[in-house]
Amino acid sequence: MKDGHSVTLNIDYGLCAGCGACAEVYPLIFEIRDDKAWIIDYTKFHFEEHKDVPTICPYRAITIE
């Protein structure tokens, strides 16, 4: 939760180059499939623990909303 609201991870597939940085750093949350990042388990994402997730992606394809 962020400020009392639930948060959602999003991947912009127009920006994702499938570099694998997210899956390398957070293998319980992301994996690479068909040359793109996929969120494999939303329940493993905890905002306070993982708020740096968007900075892992060099293409800025991952956002937290």
Side-chain angles (χ1 to χ4, degrees), residues 28-60:
L28 298 177
I29 301 172
F30 300 97
E31 72 180 14
I32 301 300
R33 284 189 219 157
D34 300 323
D35 297 323
K36 297 289 182 181
W38 286 83
I39 300 166
I40 55 172
D41 192 346
Y42 284 96
T43 66
K44 300 290 183 190
F45 174 76
H46 302 284
F47 179 74
E48 288 304 318
E49 251 181 88
H50 304 117
K51 57 182 146 189
D52 67 332
V53 165
T55 66
I56 298 301
C57 179
Y59 300 95
R60 300 179 190 255

Side-chain angles (χ1 to χ4, degrees), residues 1-43:
M1 297 193 110
K2 178 182 172 186
D3 299 331
H5 298 95
S6 62
V7 296
T8 303
L9 281 176
N10 293 299
I11 299 173
D12 181 334
Y13 289 105
L15 297 175
C16 179
C19 72
C22 58
E24 185 176 320
V25 176
Y26 295 109
L28 298 177
I29 301 172
F30 300 97
E31 72 180 14
I32 301 300
R33 284 189 219 157
D34 300 323
D35 297 323
K36 297 289 182 181
W38 286 83
I39 300 166
I40 55 172
D41 192 346
Y42 284 96
T43 66

